Amino acid sequence: MPRSYSTEEILSKEFPELEWDCKFSEVFGKPAINDTWLIWGSSGSGKSSFVMQLCKELCKYDRVVYDSLEEGDSMTMQQSMMRHGMSDVGRRFNLLNAEPMEDLRERLSKRKSWNIAVIDSFQYTQMSYRDYIRLKEQNKDKLLIFISHAKGRAPRGSAAESVMYDATLKIWVEGFKAFSKGRFIGTSGEYTIWDEGAARYWGDPNQTMEEIR
């Protein structure tokens, strides 16, 4: 049976926070670095570009592995990495070519494995919510970031939607902007992925996050 904690124990406990660039902290605050995040959005919304920008930022703090289940080591992935200057991070970023989840699970269990894993996409993993919980429990000391397709403004599929409710950082991407919809929100709550594309989509640059939501 799990132990109980006193108020004093909880309030004095220290959690590892991500002290990242102000551009990200203003949007997403300082989230825990050993948790689960979910990023979702429709095709053409700027989701892939945001994920690559996020990976580049995370590489400043630790090594990142990206399991590209959909694109693999394709030309489009190569172009995306070139466009976002991923050569700057060197070997701190590793791409897996559509590695099955069981193989990734084994990799993550090894000593000196990556502490940050990006899985693209949740639908391609064919995981149930039970599978997700199992993976999360086996990697309590790691940051797991899942990318999901969208149906309307929600993640596509019941399992992905359940992951959204469980994730501590929930990021919705639309019109080349990323919005924090989770438990960690900074002062602005929105991140512009591509200025020109966002301006064309949203029109009024003075529109507030409340109006968008």
Side-chain angles (χ1 to χ4, degrees):
M1 179 181 296
R3 61 161 292 192
S4 62
Y5 294 88
S6 69
T7 300
E8 183 180 354
E9 286 177 310
I10 290 296
L11 295 179
S12 63
K13 189 174 181 179
E14 294 186 2
F15 295 91
E17 294 181 332
L18 184 55
E19 299 280 351
W20 53 1
D21 187 274
C22 63
K23 184 178 180 181
F24 287 86
S25 63
E26 287 174 0
V27 182
F28 308 112
K30 295 180 179 180
I33 58 174
N34 57 343
D35 227 317
T36 302
W37 300 358
L38 181 71
I39 302 167
W40 75 100
S42 302
S43 178
S45 62
K47 183 171 77 264
S48 295
S49 291
F50 171 71
V51 172
M52 198 57 66
Q53 291 174 26
L54 177 65
C55 286
K56 187 173 183 179
E57 174 67 16
L58 291 174
C59 282
K60 294 178 182 178
Y61 313 99
D62 209 332
R63 295 183 304 138
V64 177
V65 63
Y66 189 118
D67 191 357
S68 180
L69 292 167
E70 289 194 37
E71 293 187 65
D73 59 349
S74 62
M75 180 180 289
T76 56
M77 178 58 71
Q78 181 190 59
Q79 291 173 343
S80 179
M81 291 176 64
M82 292 173 64
R83 187 164 58 249
H84 293 95
M86 294 304 288
S87 59
D88 295 344
V89 302
R91 295 188 177 184
R92 293 179 73 84
F93 180 81
N94 293 102
L95 182 74
L96 298 179
N97 182 17
E99 179 150 286
M101 290 306 297
E102 282 305 316
D103 292 346
L104 177 62
R105 191 190 306 276
E106 184 178 349
R107 280 182 184 268
L108 294 178
S109 69
K110 293 181 178 179
R111 186 170 172 269
K112 295 185 178 181
S113 182
W114 302 277
N115 289 319
I116 303 175
V118 180
I119 300 163
D120 187 7
S121 66
F122 183 82
Q123 285 72 25
Y124 269 61
T125 67
Q126 301 185 44
M127 293 170 67
S128 66
Y129 184 61
R130 185 186 296 273
D131 294 331
Y132 155 77
I133 291 296
R134 177 174 165 240
L135 181 67
K136 176 183 173 181
E137 290 299 311
Q138 290 174 338
N139 294 278
K140 290 182 177 180
D141 59 336
K142 299 181 185 297
L143 173 58
L144 302 178
I145 304 174
F146 290 91
I147 318 303
S148 174
H149 296 297
K151 184 176 182 180
R153 286 197 167 189
R156 183 183 298 171
S158 60
E161 192 166 354
S162 294
V163 172
M164 177 192 69
Y165 287 115
D166 184 70
T168 55
L169 189 56
K170 316 168 202 293
I171 302 174
W172 161 248
V173 179
E174 180 180 355
F176 301 101
K177 285 189 176 185
F179 303 95
S180 179
K181 302 178 74 68
R183 302 164 198 170
F184 294 95
I185 301 178
T187 55
S188 71
E190 64 178 58
Y191 174 96
T192 300
I193 302 162
W194 178 35
D195 291 334
E196 184 180 336
R200 283 204 305 263
Y201 185 90
W202 297 106
D204 182 3
N206 298 314
Q207 189 176 31
T208 66
M209 185 171 66
E210 286 73 20
E211 291 171 327
I212 290 169
R213 289 177 171 173

mmCIF file of all heavy atoms in Angstrom, residues 99-129:
data_model
loop_
_atom_site.group_PDB
_atom_site.id
_atom_site.type_symbol
_atom_site.label_atom_id
_atom_site.label_comp_id
_atom_site.label_asym_id
_atom_site.label_seq_id
_atom_site.Cartn_x
_atom_site.Cartn_y
_atom_site.Cartn_z
ATOM 1 N N GLU A 99 10.802 3.305 -34.642
ATOM 2 C CA GLU A 99 11.100 2.194 -33.740
ATOM 3 C C GLU A 99 9.840 1.758 -32.991
ATOM 4 O O GLU A 99 9.158 2.577 -32.380
ATOM 5 C CB GLU A 99 12.174 2.611 -32.737
ATOM 6 C CG GLU A 99 12.532 1.519 -31.751
ATOM 7 C CD GLU A 99 13.964 1.623 -31.292
ATOM 8 O OE1 GLU A 99 14.860 1.289 -32.085
ATOM 9 O OE2 GLU A 99 14.172 2.053 -30.154
ATOM 10 N N PRO A 100 9.497 0.456 -33.026
ATOM 11 C CA PRO A 100 8.320 -0.041 -32.297
ATOM 12 C C PRO A 100 8.416 0.285 -30.811
ATOM 13 O O PRO A 100 9.511 0.386 -30.249
ATOM 14 C CB PRO A 100 8.371 -1.553 -32.544
ATOM 15 C CG PRO A 100 9.171 -1.712 -33.798
ATOM 16 C CD PRO A 100 10.192 -0.614 -33.764
ATOM 17 N N MET A 101 7.279 0.428 -30.165
ATOM 18 C CA MET A 101 7.249 0.851 -28.781
ATOM 19 C C MET A 101 7.959 -0.123 -27.844
ATOM 20 O O MET A 101 8.596 0.295 -26.876
ATOM 21 C CB MET A 101 5.808 1.057 -28.332
ATOM 22 C CG MET A 101 5.138 2.261 -28.974
ATOM 23 S SD MET A 101 6.095 3.793 -28.739
ATOM 24 C CE MET A 101 6.062 3.946 -26.958
ATOM 25 N N GLU A 102 7.865 -1.409 -28.096
ATOM 26 C CA GLU A 102 8.543 -2.366 -27.228
ATOM 27 C C GLU A 102 10.054 -2.175 -27.284
ATOM 28 O O GLU A 102 10.748 -2.314 -26.268
ATOM 29 C CB GLU A 102 8.158 -3.800 -27.602
ATOM 30 C CG GLU A 102 6.798 -4.222 -27.091
ATOM 31 C CD GLU A 102 6.651 -4.044 -25.586
ATOM 32 O OE1 GLU A 102 7.590 -4.409 -24.837
ATOM 33 O OE2 GLU A 102 5.608 -3.532 -25.156
ATOM 34 N N ASP A 103 10.576 -1.862 -28.485
ATOM 35 C CA ASP A 103 12.012 -1.615 -28.618
ATOM 36 C C ASP A 103 12.405 -0.316 -27.913
ATOM 37 O O ASP A 103 13.447 -0.239 -27.249
ATOM 38 C CB ASP A 103 12.405 -1.544 -30.097
ATOM 39 C CG ASP A 103 12.277 -2.891 -30.789
ATOM 40 O OD1 ASP A 103 12.142 -3.913 -30.087
ATOM 41 O OD2 ASP A 103 12.284 -2.926 -32.036
ATOM 42 N N LEU A 104 11.563 0.706 -28.059
ATOM 43 C CA LEU A 104 11.837 1.970 -27.378
ATOM 44 C C LEU A 104 11.776 1.782 -25.868
ATOM 45 O O LEU A 104 12.618 2.307 -25.132
ATOM 46 C CB LEU A 104 10.825 3.034 -27.808
ATOM 47 C CG LEU A 104 10.955 4.393 -27.114
ATOM 48 C CD1 LEU A 104 12.315 5.027 -27.413
ATOM 49 C CD2 LEU A 104 9.825 5.328 -27.526
ATOM 50 N N ARG A 105 10.813 1.006 -25.416
ATOM 51 C CA ARG A 105 10.687 0.726 -23.984
ATOM 52 C C ARG A 105 11.974 0.097 -23.445
ATOM 53 O O ARG A 105 12.457 0.443 -22.364
ATOM 54 C CB ARG A 105 9.501 -0.206 -23.759
ATOM 55 C CG ARG A 105 9.084 -0.367 -22.302
ATOM 56 C CD ARG A 105 8.075 -1.502 -22.165
ATOM 57 N NE ARG A 105 6.935 -1.324 -23.043
ATOM 58 C CZ ARG A 105 5.867 -0.585 -22.750
ATOM 59 N NH1 ARG A 105 5.800 0.043 -21.604
ATOM 60 N NH2 ARG A 105 4.867 -0.497 -23.605
ATOM 61 N N GLU A 106 12.530 -0.840 -24.214
ATOM 62 C CA GLU A 106 13.774 -1.497 -23.798
ATOM 63 C C GLU A 106 14.935 -0.514 -23.782
ATOM 64 O O GLU A 106 15.768 -0.525 -22.864
ATOM 65 C CB GLU A 106 14.084 -2.660 -24.754
ATOM 66 C CG GLU A 106 15.306 -3.460 -24.350
ATOM 67 C CD GLU A 106 15.577 -4.636 -25.277
ATOM 68 O OE1 GLU A 106 14.697 -4.957 -26.111
ATOM 69 O OE2 GLU A 106 16.667 -5.215 -25.174
ATOM 70 N N ARG A 107 14.995 0.350 -24.788
ATOM 71 C CA ARG A 107 16.059 1.361 -24.840
ATOM 72 C C ARG A 107 16.020 2.267 -23.603
ATOM 73 O O ARG A 107 17.042 2.563 -22.995
ATOM 74 C CB ARG A 107 15.922 2.230 -26.093
ATOM 75 C CG ARG A 107 16.447 1.628 -27.387
ATOM 76 C CD ARG A 107 16.271 2.661 -28.490
ATOM 77 N NE ARG A 107 16.648 2.209 -29.799
ATOM 78 C CZ ARG A 107 17.854 2.359 -30.344
ATOM 79 N NH1 ARG A 107 18.814 2.927 -29.639
ATOM 80 N NH2 ARG A 107 18.090 1.947 -31.575
ATOM 81 N N LEU A 108 14.821 2.730 -23.286
ATOM 82 C CA LEU A 108 14.676 3.671 -22.172
ATOM 83 C C LEU A 108 14.997 3.045 -20.822
ATOM 84 O O LEU A 108 15.307 3.753 -19.861
ATOM 85 C CB LEU A 108 13.255 4.240 -22.158
ATOM 86 C CG LEU A 108 12.861 5.126 -23.349
ATOM 87 C CD1 LEU A 108 11.418 5.576 -23.219
ATOM 88 C CD2 LEU A 108 13.797 6.331 -23.475
ATOM 89 N N SER A 109 14.916 1.727 -20.749
ATOM 90 C CA SER A 109 15.195 1.035 -19.487
ATOM 91 C C SER A 109 16.688 0.880 -19.219
ATOM 92 O O SER A 109 17.091 0.549 -18.096
ATOM 93 C CB SER A 109 14.534 -0.345 -19.484
ATOM 94 O OG SER A 109 15.171 -1.206 -20.425
ATOM 95 N N LYS A 110 17.500 1.130 -20.230
ATOM 96 C CA LYS A 110 18.933 0.918 -20.086
ATOM 97 C C LYS A 110 19.608 2.071 -19.342
ATOM 98 O O LYS A 110 19.155 3.208 -19.394
ATOM 99 C CB LYS A 110 19.584 0.731 -21.459
ATOM 100 C CG LYS A 110 19.150 -0.553 -22.153
ATOM 101 C CD LYS A 110 19.829 -0.709 -23.504
ATOM 102 C CE LYS A 110 19.418 -2.018 -24.166
ATOM 103 N NZ LYS A 110 20.037 -2.192 -25.506
ATOM 104 N N ARG A 111 20.680 1.741 -18.680
ATOM 105 C CA ARG A 111 21.475 2.741 -17.951
ATOM 106 C C ARG A 111 22.041 3.769 -18.935
ATOM 107 O O ARG A 111 22.454 3.428 -20.036
ATOM 108 C CB ARG A 111 22.608 2.027 -17.200
ATOM 109 C CG ARG A 111 23.411 2.920 -16.285
ATOM 110 C CD ARG A 111 24.330 2.084 -15.424
ATOM 111 N NE ARG A 111 25.256 2.895 -14.650
ATOM 112 C CZ ARG A 111 26.464 3.258 -15.064
ATOM 113 N NH1 ARG A 111 26.899 2.845 -16.250
ATOM 114 N NH2 ARG A 111 27.247 4.010 -14.304
ATOM 115 N N LYS A 112 22.026 5.014 -18.555
ATOM 116 C CA LYS A 112 22.508 6.127 -19.370
ATOM 117 C C LYS A 112 21.680 6.320 -20.639
ATOM 118 O O LYS A 112 22.191 6.808 -21.660
ATOM 119 C CB LYS A 112 23.987 5.949 -19.724
ATOM 120 C CG LYS A 112 24.913 5.998 -18.514
ATOM 121 C CD LYS A 112 26.375 5.948 -18.932
ATOM 122 C CE LYS A 112 27.288 6.057 -17.709
ATOM 123 N NZ LYS A 112 28.728 6.027 -18.095
ATOM 124 N N SER A 113 20.428 5.911 -20.589
ATOM 125 C CA SER A 113 19.545 6.159 -21.721
ATOM 126 C C SER A 113 19.103 7.626 -21.705
ATOM 127 O O SER A 113 19.427 8.377 -20.795
ATOM 128 C CB SER A 113 18.332 5.232 -21.642
ATOM 129 O OG SER A 113 17.485 5.428 -22.753
ATOM 130 N N TRP A 114 18.322 8.017 -22.704
ATOM 131 C CA TRP A 114 17.827 9.388 -22.779
ATOM 132 C C TRP A 114 16.851 9.664 -21.638
ATOM 133 O O TRP A 114 16.076 8.801 -21.226
ATOM 134 C CB TRP A 114 17.099 9.614 -24.106
ATOM 135 C CG TRP A 114 17.928 9.361 -25.309
ATOM 136 C CD1 TRP A 114 18.808 10.211 -25.917
ATOM 137 C CD2 TRP A 114 17.955 8.160 -26.096
ATOM 138 N NE1 TRP A 114 19.376 9.621 -27.015
ATOM 139 C CE2 TRP A 114 18.874 8.350 -27.155
ATOM 140 C CE3 TRP A 114 17.283 6.932 -26.004
ATOM 141 C CZ2 TRP A 114 19.121 7.386 -28.114
ATOM 142 C CZ3 TRP A 114 17.546 5.963 -26.940
ATOM 143 C CH2 TRP A 114 18.458 6.191 -27.996
ATOM 144 N N ASN A 115 16.849 10.917 -21.183
ATOM 145 C CA ASN A 115 15.900 11.330 -20.156
ATOM 146 C C ASN A 115 14.687 12.036 -20.752
ATOM 147 O O ASN A 115 13.713 12.284 -20.042
ATOM 148 C CB ASN A 115 16.583 12.253 -19.141
ATOM 149 C CG ASN A 115 17.568 11.510 -18.274
ATOM 150 O OD1 ASN A 115 17.303 10.389 -17.843
ATOM 151 N ND2 ASN A 115 18.712 12.115 -18.031
ATOM 152 N N ILE A 116 14.772 12.368 -22.045
ATOM 153 C CA ILE A 116 13.655 13.017 -22.728
ATOM 154 C C ILE A 116 13.343 12.229 -23.998
ATOM 155 O O ILE A 116 14.224 12.051 -24.853
ATOM 156 C CB ILE A 116 13.977 14.477 -23.096
ATOM 157 C CG1 ILE A 116 14.358 15.279 -21.839
ATOM 158 C CG2 ILE A 116 12.778 15.124 -23.790
ATOM 159 C CD1 ILE A 116 14.817 16.699 -22.131
ATOM 160 N N ALA A 117 12.109 11.761 -24.112
ATOM 161 C CA ALA A 117 11.710 10.986 -25.293
ATOM 162 C C ALA A 117 10.468 11.614 -25.916
ATOM 163 O O ALA A 117 9.471 11.865 -25.230
ATOM 164 C CB ALA A 117 11.420 9.539 -24.915
ATOM 165 N N VAL A 118 10.556 11.863 -27.227
ATOM 166 C CA VAL A 118 9.429 12.410 -27.991
ATOM 167 C C VAL A 118 8.898 11.296 -28.880
ATOM 168 O O VAL A 118 9.667 10.662 -29.619
ATOM 169 C CB VAL A 118 9.877 13.611 -28.847
ATOM 170 C CG1 VAL A 118 8.695 14.175 -29.638
ATOM 171 C CG2 VAL A 118 10.489 14.698 -27.970
ATOM 172 N N ILE A 119 7.597 11.058 -28.822
ATOM 173 C CA ILE A 119 6.991 9.950 -29.557
ATOM 174 C C ILE A 119 5.945 10.506 -30.513
ATOM 175 O O ILE A 119 4.948 11.099 -30.089
ATOM 176 C CB ILE A 119 6.360 8.941 -28.583
ATOM 177 C CG1 ILE A 119 7.452 8.390 -27.643
ATOM 178 C CG2 ILE A 119 5.689 7.799 -29.342
ATOM 179 C CD1 ILE A 119 6.931 7.721 -26.410
ATOM 180 N N ASP A 120 6.178 10.314 -31.810
ATOM 181 C CA ASP A 120 5.358 10.931 -32.854
ATOM 182 C C ASP A 120 4.900 9.863 -33.865
ATOM 183 O O ASP A 120 5.682 9.391 -34.667
ATOM 184 C CB ASP A 120 6.193 12.009 -33.555
ATOM 185 C CG ASP A 120 5.392 12.836 -34.536
ATOM 186 O OD1 ASP A 120 4.156 12.680 -34.596
ATOM 187 O OD2 ASP A 120 6.023 13.645 -35.246
ATOM 188 N N SER A 121 3.663 9.504 -33.834
ATOM 189 C CA SER A 121 2.591 10.083 -33.041
ATOM 190 C C SER A 121 1.974 9.019 -32.134
ATOM 191 O O SER A 121 2.238 7.831 -32.295
ATOM 192 C CB SER A 121 1.493 10.632 -33.955
ATOM 193 O OG SER A 121 0.864 9.553 -34.647
ATOM 194 N N PHE A 122 1.120 9.474 -31.216
ATOM 195 C CA PHE A 122 0.477 8.532 -30.305
ATOM 196 C C PHE A 122 -0.359 7.516 -31.074
ATOM 197 O O PHE A 122 -0.390 6.336 -30.734
ATOM 198 C CB PHE A 122 -0.402 9.285 -29.301
ATOM 199 C CG PHE A 122 -1.029 8.372 -28.284
ATOM 200 C CD1 PHE A 122 -0.309 7.966 -27.178
ATOM 201 C CD2 PHE A 122 -2.310 7.891 -28.454
ATOM 202 C CE1 PHE A 122 -0.865 7.098 -26.242
ATOM 203 C CE2 PHE A 122 -2.884 7.025 -27.530
ATOM 204 C CZ PHE A 122 -2.156 6.623 -26.419
ATOM 205 N N GLN A 123 -1.046 7.967 -32.124
ATOM 206 C CA GLN A 123 -1.898 7.068 -32.903
ATOM 207 C C GLN A 123 -1.081 5.952 -33.555
ATOM 208 O O GLN A 123 -1.533 4.811 -33.632
ATOM 209 C CB GLN A 123 -2.668 7.851 -33.974
ATOM 210 C CG GLN A 123 -3.826 8.677 -33.448
ATOM 211 C CD GLN A 123 -3.380 9.898 -32.668
ATOM 212 O OE1 GLN A 123 -2.282 10.400 -32.873
ATOM 213 N NE2 GLN A 123 -4.232 10.389 -31.786
ATOM 214 N N TYR A 124 0.144 6.260 -33.981
ATOM 215 C CA TYR A 124 0.987 5.257 -34.622
ATOM 216 C C TYR A 124 1.564 4.253 -33.628
ATOM 217 O O TYR A 124 2.030 3.186 -34.019
ATOM 218 C CB TYR A 124 2.122 5.937 -35.395
ATOM 219 C CG TYR A 124 1.773 6.221 -36.842
ATOM 220 C CD1 TYR A 124 0.707 7.054 -37.165
ATOM 221 C CD2 TYR A 124 2.495 5.659 -37.884
ATOM 222 C CE1 TYR A 124 0.380 7.323 -38.476
ATOM 223 C CE2 TYR A 124 2.172 5.919 -39.204
ATOM 224 C CZ TYR A 124 1.115 6.743 -39.496
ATOM 225 O OH TYR A 124 0.779 7.003 -40.804
ATOM 226 N N THR A 125 1.557 4.585 -32.345
ATOM 227 C CA THR A 125 2.046 3.621 -31.358
ATOM 228 C C THR A 125 1.074 2.459 -31.188
ATOM 229 O O THR A 125 1.470 1.390 -30.725
ATOM 230 C CB THR A 125 2.225 4.271 -29.970
ATOM 231 O OG1 THR A 125 0.934 4.633 -29.435
ATOM 232 C CG2 THR A 125 3.117 5.490 -30.043
ATOM 233 N N GLN A 126 -0.206 2.711 -31.509
ATOM 234 C CA GLN A 126 -1.288 1.739 -31.303
ATOM 235 C C GLN A 126 -1.419 1.345 -29.825
ATOM 236 O O GLN A 126 -1.843 0.236 -29.488
ATOM 237 C CB GLN A 126 -1.077 0.493 -32.172
ATOM 238 C CG GLN A 126 -1.028 0.805 -33.665
ATOM 239 C CD GLN A 126 -0.930 -0.429 -34.530
ATOM 240 O OE1 GLN A 126 -1.632 -1.415 -34.297
ATOM 241 N NE2 GLN A 126 -0.049 -0.399 -35.514
ATOM 242 N N MET A 127 -1.056 2.263 -28.953
ATOM 243 C CA MET A 127 -1.135 2.017 -27.520
ATOM 244 C C MET A 127 -2.545 2.272 -26.998
ATOM 245 O O MET A 127 -3.246 3.166 -27.471
ATOM 246 C CB MET A 127 -0.166 2.937 -26.762
ATOM 247 C CG MET A 127 1.297 2.665 -27.023
ATOM 248 S SD MET A 127 2.360 3.964 -26.314
ATOM 249 C CE MET A 127 2.088 3.712 -24.565
ATOM 250 N N SER A 128 -2.922 1.478 -26.009
ATOM 251 C CA SER A 128 -4.136 1.756 -25.247
ATOM 252 C C SER A 128 -3.748 2.685 -24.106
ATOM 253 O O SER A 128 -2.553 2.911 -23.842
ATOM 254 C CB SER A 128 -4.721 0.458 -24.700
ATOM 255 O OG SER A 128 -3.834 -0.116 -23.747
ATOM 256 N N TYR A 129 -4.748 3.175 -23.396
ATOM 257 C CA TYR A 129 -4.439 4.020 -22.232
ATOM 258 C C TYR A 129 -3.713 3.197 -21.167
ATOM 259 O O TYR A 129 -2.808 3.700 -20.494
ATOM 260 C CB TYR A 129 -5.719 4.613 -21.665
ATOM 261 C CG TYR A 129 -5.480 5.576 -20.523
ATOM 262 C CD1 TYR A 129 -4.736 6.739 -20.714
ATOM 263 C CD2 TYR A 129 -5.978 5.307 -19.255
ATOM 264 C CE1 TYR A 129 -4.502 7.618 -19.674
ATOM 265 C CE2 TYR A 129 -5.747 6.190 -18.207
ATOM 266 C CZ TYR A 129 -5.012 7.336 -18.420
ATOM 267 O OH TYR A 129 -4.776 8.211 -17.382
#
